């Protein structure tokens, strides 16, 4: 067997500890699959003395993670997080020094993936980030290898487990967003600062990575349109069911007239769609490709085992001599695609309005729809006599988002409308 592949790990949180456990406790199996032993030699983290449940005494300790780039290691594994700061410095230093770089850091790749891929290729180093998207689900390898023969038509998925968990509980219990979030934080399912998760940013990082690989494009996180789940009410989940849908936070990317459309938004997904049945903290991704058709991947998108599984898969790939480009094609061949302008974004929408329960209110809403040239597919109305308010849920035929927004703004200005209209996306079964 060859000499061991030497690994330096920066960041010894949950995932770092998971990687150590796999590499130490199943070393023989990993070596057999990798074709050579894999040895952790250097580590770096914020605190040295902490009890992590694994023995790090045999590794060389580095106070400064950046020092790993100068250490005698073959692969740097970055598990610190953050799009800039120490993670970016370590990535830049490692790749310039010709060291292979494995990361679980979606923010780093979403913001700097193109530059890092170029740097890796200049110094003949390998850049890998399987764990950055959907944790334990091997979607990047699926796209780059298993689906390499295909033209990808669309990619969509449930890319954030925290949001899927919150929406699942809201749906099952009819509970409010804030209460479920507070419970999820207490139970450790949601971060103390949940902003990146619930505002859709984490899902947008992952979507931008998948879109770049799917469409052979330079990564473009800034053009992802992002809506999180803060404004979702339990009544939306209930109405979605009545209309034959489930409400999920969906990331979706596809090409429209040569332009790339990427969005993350709470979306009504038809009951028969593979994403509709994905519950709790699971992630799932659906690719539509030619000639393969639809392929569906589901599994755990976070946590020690799933994320460490993906990190170790990247290390094994490097040990085997895998040196394919990070985004599937050489960085110089990645196209700079334009983003679809907001006014060109079409789709089907769900609009919920709470209005005063008075004579003529339905007629006012109907005339507003007519004035904006919006044709209706369905209209639900619910309210209890004597309660003073009534809810309308309108689902127009396919139209431009800008038209819906203009109509919603005009509606919001009506005196009878009691709160800001909620606008959600509808994903139809035949939308590939
Ligand atoms: N916080 C993420 C989630 C996992 O809830 O899915 C890491 O991206």
């Amino acid at each position: 067997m060859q000499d061991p592949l030497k690994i330096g790990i920066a960041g010894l949180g949950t995932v770092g500890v998971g990687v150590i456990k796999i590499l130490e406790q199943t070393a023989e199996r990993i070596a057999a699959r990798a074709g050579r032993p894999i040895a952790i030699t250097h580590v770096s983290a914020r605190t040295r003395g902490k009890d992590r449940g694994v023995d790090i005494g045999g590794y060389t300790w580095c106070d400064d993670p950046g020092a790993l780039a100068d250490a005698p290691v073959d692969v740097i594994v970055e598990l610190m997080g953050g799009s800039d700061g120490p993670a970016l410095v370590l990535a830049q230093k490692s790749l310039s020094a010709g060291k292979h770089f494995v990361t679980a850091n979606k923010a780093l790749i979403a913001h700097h993936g193109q530059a890092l891929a170029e740097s890796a290729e200049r110094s003949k180093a390998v850049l890998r980030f399987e764990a950055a998207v959907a944790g334990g689900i091997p979607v990047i390898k699926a796209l780059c290898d298993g689906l390499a023969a295909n033209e990808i038509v669309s990619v969509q998925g449930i890319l954030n487990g925290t949001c899927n968990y919150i929406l699942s509980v809201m749906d099952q219990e009819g509970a409010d967003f804030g209460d479920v979030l507070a419970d999820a934080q207490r139970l450790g399912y949601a971060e103390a600062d949940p902003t990146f998760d619930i505002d859709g940013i984490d899902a947008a990082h992952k979507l931008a990575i998948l879109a770049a690989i799917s469409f052979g494009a330079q990564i473009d996180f800034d053009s992802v349109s992002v809506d999180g789940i803060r404004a979702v009410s339990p009544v939306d989940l209930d109405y979605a069911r009545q209309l034959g849908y489930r409400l999920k936070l969906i990331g979706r990317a596809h090409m429209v007239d040569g332009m790339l459309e990427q969005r993350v938004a709470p979306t009504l997904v038809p009951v028969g769609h593979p994403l509709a049945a994905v519950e709790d903290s699971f992630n799932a991704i659906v690719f539509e490709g030619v000639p393969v058709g639809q392929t569906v991947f589901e599994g755990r998108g976070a946590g020690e085992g799933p994320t460490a599984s993906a990190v170790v898969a990247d290390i094994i790939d490097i040990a085997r001599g895998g040196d394919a480009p990070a985004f599937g094609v050489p960085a110089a061949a990645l196209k700079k695609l334009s983003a679809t302008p907001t006014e060109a974004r079409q789709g089907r929408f769900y609009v919920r309005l709470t209005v005063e329960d008075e004579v003529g209110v339905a007629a006012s809403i109907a005339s507003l729809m007519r004035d904006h040239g919006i044709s209706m597919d369905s209209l639900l109305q619910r309210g209890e006599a004597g309660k003073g308010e009534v809810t309308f849920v309108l689902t127009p035929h396919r139209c431009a988002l800008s038209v819906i927004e203009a109509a919603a703004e005009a509606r919001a200005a009506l005196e009878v409308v009691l709160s800001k209209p909620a606008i959600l996306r509808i994903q139809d079964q035949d939308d590939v």
Side-chain angles (χ1 to χ4, degrees):
M1 228 181 233
Q2 295 176 39
D3 289 344
L5 183 79
K6 295 200 263 328
I7 309 291
I9 302 178
L12 296 178
T14 311
V15 179
V17 167
V19 170
I20 292 177
K21 285 184 192 163
I22 299 176
L23 291 180
E24 297 293 0
Q25 294 168 7
T26 63
E28 210 174 309
R29 180 170 64 217
I30 300 291
R33 291 188 179 161
R36 60 194 288 197
I38 291 173
I40 302 168
T41 59
H42 291 67
V43 291
S44 175
R46 264 201 288 260
T47 328
R48 186 170 186 175
K50 190 170 156 184
D51 179 9
R52 297 178 167 88
V54 288
D55 181 9
I56 59 166
Y59 312 139
T60 302
W61 176 266
C62 301
D63 282 324
D64 170 17
L68 288 174
D70 305 316
V73 297
D74 304 303
V75 183
I76 311 282
V77 177
E78 185 276 306
L79 303 170
M80 296 181 289
S83 60
D84 296 281
L88 179 60
V89 170
L90 180 59
Q92 289 167 331
K93 281 183 74 179
S94 307
L95 292 169
S96 318
K99 291 198 160 47
H100 308 310
F101 191 78
V102 172
T103 181
N105 186 337
K106 56 236 60 166
L108 176 75
I109 299 301
H111 286 277
H112 304 289
Q114 179 69 24
L116 295 177
E118 287 168 8
S119 170
E121 287 171 25
R122 269 195 303 274
S123 55
K124 303 211 175 334
V126 175
L127 169 65
R128 289 285 179 270
F129 40 81
E130 180 66 71
V133 180
I137 315 176
V139 271
I140 293 181
K141 287 184 176 55
L143 261 182
C144 292
D145 300 334
L147 295 173
N150 288 269
E151 178 194 354
I152 301 298
V153 178
S154 69
V155 49
Q156 59 187 324
I158 292 174
L159 298 169
N160 186 271
T162 304
C163 287
N164 206 48
Y165 172 81
I166 292 173
L167 292 176
S168 297
V169 176
M170 287 175 70
D171 196 16
Q172 285 150 20
E173 300 178 2
D176 280 323
F177 167 79
D179 295 338
V180 180
L181 172 62
D183 275 350
Q185 285 174 304
R186 203 168 35 76
L187 296 167
Y189 297 156
E191 306 278 348
D193 178 0
T195 313
F196 267 39
D197 289 324
I198 62 179
D199 288 338
I201 299 160
D202 175 79
H205 286 148
K206 296 167 183 169
L207 181 71
I209 296 171
L210 288 178
I213 302 171
S214 297
F215 303 109
Q218 293 187 13
I219 197 154
D220 186 8
F221 169 70
D222 290 338
S223 78
V224 184
S225 138
V226 190
D227 284 316
I229 62 165
R230 278 182 206 263
V232 172
S233 153
V235 298
D236 296 320
L237 290 142
D238 191 21
Y239 280 122
R241 277 184 180 270
Q242 291 184 42
L243 292 164
Y245 294 86
R246 296 286 181 277
L247 183 53
K248 301 284 178 190
L249 185 73
I250 301 290
R252 176 177 165 84
H254 64 293
M255 299 291 293
V256 181
D257 300 331
M259 293 177 285
L260 177 60
E261 184 163 326
Q262 307 179 85
R263 67 163 187 268
V264 170
T267 303
L268 278 72
V269 184
V271 167
H273 191 279
L275 296 178
V278 178
E279 297 288 359
D280 302 321
S281 61
F282 278 83
N283 282 196
I285 294 95
V286 178
F287 295 109
E288 297 285 346
V290 178
V292 73
Q294 187 178 76
T295 54
V296 184
F297 298 80
E298 182 176 352
R300 296 230 172 253
E304 177 184 315
T307 313
S309 156
V311 170
V312 174
D314 279 346
I315 297 172
I316 292 174
D317 179 26
I318 291 170
R320 287 171 173 163
D323 61 356
F327 288 93
V329 297
L334 291 164
K335 294 167 281 191
K336 198 162 173 45
L337 293 176
S338 312
T340 19
T342 312
E343 60 278 12
R345 294 187 173 204
Q346 300 264 334
R348 290 199 54 233
F349 301 92
Y350 157 111
V351 184
R352 175 174 50 81
L353 293 168
T354 306
V355 296
E356 277 181 32
D357 188 6
E358 62 182 43
V359 174
V361 72
S364 321
I365 291 168
S367 47
L368 249 173
M369 303 281 289
R370 180 201 56 212
D371 295 348
H372 284 82
I374 296 171
S375 164
M376 289 302 302
D377 180 41
S378 77
L379 190 149
L380 279 178
Q381 187 233 299
R382 201 164 69 175
E384 282 172 45
K387 251 196 120 184
E389 63 180 51
V390 65
T391 304
F392 282 95
V393 170
L394 322 169
T395 65
H397 287 298
R398 189 176 174 82
C399 62
L401 172 61
S402 51
V403 172
I404 289 290
E405 284 177 340
E409 213 167 287
R411 275 185 211 123
L414 292 177
E415 258 181 34
V416 289
V417 176
L418 298 173
S419 57
K420 191 169 175 260
I423 304 176
L424 302 172
R425 283 270 179 177
I426 297 179
Q427 169 77 45
D428 276 320
Q429 195 73 267
D430 52 358
D431 289 345
V432 291

